[in-house]
Amino acid sequence: MALLINGKDHPNPKALEKILLAVERFARAMGAELITPRNITKEHWSNCSDSYLASRLVEESGELLRLIDGVSHSEPLDEELRLAIRKEAVDVANFAMFIADNYNCLH
């Protein structure tokens, strides 16, 4: 199957497939986090101020940085740390998405 970018074959289809798979998996993780019982009842991000969303983005980024500080991604992770990194990375991405969505940048 040819993978097209702007109507042209991608010069490295295997690399592009790998990228798209990672993006798809991450997007699913983002959505799954948003519909957890603790998150589903929260106020919609469109009702949140820019300063609140930006401060939460910074806070979540700090949590992620503290988790990965000194950890090598070439070494196997224990399951607890792997899941914690995934959760914090997803939280960072979700807050960035909230901001982009509030400015209609996702259409």
Side-chain angles (χ1 to χ4, degrees):
M1 172 176 87
L3 295 171
L4 303 177
I5 299 295
N6 297 326
K8 298 179 182 176
D9 284 340
H10 191 275
N12 189 342
K14 287 188 187 282
L16 179 60
E17 246 180 279
K18 190 174 178 181
I19 291 166
L20 295 176
L21 180 60
V23 169
E24 181 182 329
R25 287 177 178 164
F26 196 75
R28 280 195 203 128
M30 289 171 66
E33 180 64 24
L34 293 176
I35 61 170
T36 60
R38 76 171 183 279
N39 286 328
I40 197 73
T41 59
K42 291 182 179 176
E43 185 171 9
H44 191 270
W45 59 85
S46 62
N47 297 320
C48 297
S49 71
D50 293 342
S51 61
Y52 171 76
L53 293 174
S55 69
R56 293 288 289 124
L57 177 60
V58 169
E59 181 182 326
E60 294 297 340
S61 296
E63 291 175 13
L64 177 59
L65 288 171
R66 282 187 292 281
L67 272 176
I68 63 172
D69 185 40
V71 175
S72 171
H73 58 81
S74 62
E75 298 291 322
L77 300 176
D78 68 57
E79 188 67 4
E80 184 178 336
L81 180 57
R82 189 184 72 78
L83 291 173
I85 291 171
R86 174 185 163 146
K87 183 195 177 308
E88 293 307 329
V90 163
D91 287 347
V92 169
N94 276 332
F95 278 101
M97 184 271 300
F98 299 160
I99 293 167
D101 188 50
N102 282 352
Y103 282 91
N104 296 311
C105 298
L106 302 177
H107 303 282

